[in-house]
Amino acid sequence: MSVSPEPHFRSLDLPQKHVTRAWMAATISAGLTLVFSITLPSYDAWNFIDVAILAGLAYGVWRRNRVCAVLLLLYGIANEVILAFDETARFSLLRVVFIYFYFRGAIQIFRNHRNGTVPEPAKA
């Protein structure tokens, strides 16, 4: 029997908050992108594709899907790299915080699958 060096907080359910923060950050990002796509004239129809991708990946992370968690992390990093090369784009600390949430959520999903303790998503 192997003992994990990571503490278990089953009573507080603290590790699952990483997954919750990841899908909530993706949902907030999709919502903000949708609002800005509708209200600002400088945004175009491609932003609606961005909203659909973020919403789909957020749903996948909510369902504890490892592929969606990794894709969400890579998508966030790729968007940040693309915006770094855009001269008109401005740095946003919120995007970096969201990437951190995506990273922590992906790590937690992989830990859950490794330990065989994949919890069901919370019912609304």
Side-chain angles (χ1 to χ4, degrees):
M1 174 182 274
S2 67
V3 177
S4 176
E6 302 161 3
H8 291 282
F9 301 106
R10 292 181 193 267
S11 63
L12 298 176
D13 203 24
L14 291 178
Q16 295 312 312
K17 295 205 185 296
H18 295 303
V19 178
T20 302
R21 289 177 185 143
W23 68 260
M24 288 180 84
T27 304
I28 290 168
S29 181
L32 288 174
T33 303
L34 180 65
V35 168
F36 288 138
S37 297
I38 293 171
T39 59
L40 296 178
S42 62
Y43 280 73
D44 56 3
W46 289 105
N47 291 326
F48 293 111
I49 294 173
D50 187 41
V51 169
I53 290 171
L54 282 169
L57 291 175
Y59 177 73
V61 170
W62 177 73
R63 297 287 299 168
R64 286 12 181 222
N65 188 320
R66 290 173 285 186
V67 173
C68 288
V70 170
L71 288 176
L72 181 62
L73 176 62
L74 292 175
Y75 191 71
I77 292 171
N79 279 340
E80 193 63 32
V81 169
I82 290 170
L83 289 175
F85 289 112
D86 188 7
E87 294 175 358
T88 60
R90 298 176 61 174
F91 176 76
S92 173
L93 186 61
L94 184 63
R95 289 192 307 258
V96 175
V97 171
F98 280 1
I99 290 172
Y100 171 75
F101 288 152
Y102 302 158
F103 175 74
R104 293 296 301 203
I107 294 295
Q108 187 59 45
I109 288 172
F110 274 91
R111 283 181 181 161
N112 289 345
H113 279 274
R114 180 186 66 204
N115 295 336
T117 58
V118 183
E120 288 294 318
K123 305 289 185 208

